[in-house]
Amino acid sequence: MRMETSIAAADASGAFSALAGAMRGELKRHCYRMMGGIQDAEDCVQETLLRGWREFASLRDGAAVRPWLYSIATRVCLDALRTRRRRQTLFGPSVDEVEPGTEPWVEPWPGGGAPSGPERGQDIRLAFVSLLHGLSPRARAVLLLHDGVGMTAAEAAAALGISVAAARSALQRARTALPPQEVVAADDARVEAYVDAWNAGDVSALVGLLHKDIVLTMPPWRRTFTGRDEVERFMTGVWPRYEGFRAVAVVANGQPAAAVYTRRDDGPYLPHSLHVLAGSGQIAEVVLYAPPLGASLIAAFGLPVRRPEELTLLGPFPSSFWCRIADG
């Protein structure tokens, strides 16, 4: 949806409210790509809309407001990134840790289907967002404005207050580190079987869903398990620590995902972990957000946290019962 609005001072407030309502979701996804965290994205989009409201009435007649608002959002994010610790990417070297890391990690995004319309160039997949955070903030910003929003290098340079040469150099570095990838639609069938295996407490069924070259990462622990045999040894060792599991299917970053609850000593089911899946046919990649990080993310997906006993009352249920696809 292209919005080129003739702005009159008399109705600027109403026009901006309509614009903000139409664009809030896509701006938040853009801020998420820049920031790597859900709450950081929300904070930045609020600041973006505040700055936009202050400046809207002064726009020249016929201004293209969509790229203008994306420019504000990107600058807000760059300002915020100057005071925040860099987020950990999800596919680094494996470290045998005694305690989980305390650094902020790239987080999963609740919902987010395949991009279309004005967002068709903006990949929301978790692996892509993680790769973005291996770039410098400037290179990340130029790449998203150019390839995602559709700005020219000159327009991106003007939006960020840098030279065209600097913008082109940042774009080249970003594309070298992050070549374009085809956006593949999620396969929902395997998440149903994945959830069923957790609900049945059947580790053999779970392992049977995995590709032989499966890669499982486990933030906030810097652990990577490679290959079906290694993942099976890990899962078989962990499984007996719990008396039961309840899992529900969700969507994260436009990918199939599962939220897992566990219980011990006949207690209630409590939030445990969030699993983001990738692969075609068999599951080839799992990003398993483990405790305490995983439990802290579950509320963002609209699942119970303060009253987890609801899961006990429901008992085993089809994963589609709570499947949630959010617009963000």
Side-chain angles (χ1 to χ4, degrees):
M1 176 174 58
R2 181 170 177 82
M3 297 182 186
E4 294 203 4
T5 306
S6 179
I7 302 164
D11 61 359
S13 180
F16 183 76
S17 295
L19 172 67
M23 288 189 59
R24 195 182 199 287
E26 63 178 283
L27 285 171
K28 188 172 177 180
R29 285 185 284 272
H30 175 71
C31 291
Y32 164 71
R33 294 180 186 95
M34 282 293 301
M35 302 301 298
I38 302 168
Q39 188 56 55
D40 283 351
E42 177 62 29
D43 292 344
C44 286
V45 80
Q46 288 188 18
E47 176 64 21
T48 295
L49 295 178
L50 178 60
R51 293 190 192 180
W53 178 77
R54 289 171 176 165
E55 299 174 18
F56 188 68
S58 64
L59 282 180
R60 70 183 185 278
D61 188 49
V65 295
R66 183 173 178 269
W68 164 76
L69 206 47
Y70 266 100
S71 299
I72 294 176
T74 306
R75 291 194 297 272
V76 167
C77 290
L78 289 173
D79 289 346
L81 287 167
R82 293 188 183 99
T83 63
R84 285 166 171 76
R85 289 186 294 171
R86 187 167 187 155
R87 288 188 178 269
Q88 298 293 300
T89 57
L90 301 172
F91 305 100
S94 183
V95 179
D96 189 8
E97 297 176 309
V98 177
E99 297 291 338
T102 59
E103 301 89 348
W105 288 79
V106 171
E107 297 176 354
W109 174 263
S116 60
E119 290 189 273
R120 61 187 177 275
Q122 300 185 17
D123 194 343
I124 195 76
R125 287 175 302 170
L126 188 57
F128 178 78
V129 176
S130 181
L131 287 171
L132 280 176
H133 283 260
L135 303 174
S136 69
R138 177 186 285 185
R140 192 186 318 158
V142 173
L143 181 73
L144 291 177
L145 290 177
H146 187 279
D147 290 1
V149 182
M151 292 185 181
T152 65
E155 289 169 338
L160 301 178
I162 60 177
S163 69
V164 176
R168 286 176 176 158
S169 176
L171 183 61
Q172 182 177 5
R173 290 195 304 273
R175 284 179 168 173
T176 299
L178 200 65
Q181 304 176 48
E182 182 182 355
V183 178
V184 179
D187 177 359
D188 291 332
R190 67 184 181 275
V191 75
E192 298 286 341
Y194 188 86
V195 164
D196 289 344
W198 279 98
N199 282 333
D202 190 341
V203 67
S204 296
L206 180 70
V207 171
L209 298 170
L210 306 180
H211 191 277
K212 64 181 179 66
D213 297 322
I214 177 75
V215 175
L216 184 149
T217 58
M218 203 171 63
W221 303 82
R222 285 187 286 267
R223 295 291 302 275
T224 300
F225 301 91
T226 304
R228 187 189 295 142
D229 291 344
E230 189 172 333
V231 173
E232 182 176 14
R233 284 193 295 272
F234 168 69
M235 288 293 186
T236 302
V238 169
W239 215 270
R241 300 179 188 177
Y242 302 95
E243 291 188 357
F245 304 96
R246 289 291 179 266
V248 292
V250 294
V251 175
N253 298 75
Q255 300 170 229
V260 174
Y261 294 71
T262 60
R263 71 173 179 177
R264 290 173 170 167
D265 303 323
D266 294 322
Y269 286 95
L270 299 174
H272 179 269
S273 52
L274 188 73
H275 309 206
V276 184
L277 315 179
S280 178
Q282 291 181 300
I283 298 170
E285 181 182 285
V286 179
V287 178
L288 193 163
Y289 288 90
L293 178 57
S296 71
L297 297 170
I298 282 179
F301 287 78
L303 298 173
V305 174
R306 295 181 180 177
R307 297 181 62 191
E309 65 274 9
E310 293 173 6
L311 290 167
T312 306
L313 297 175
L314 283 170
F317 51 87
S319 60
S320 58
F321 180 80
W322 276 18
C323 184
R324 176 183 175 89
I325 303 178
D327 290 332

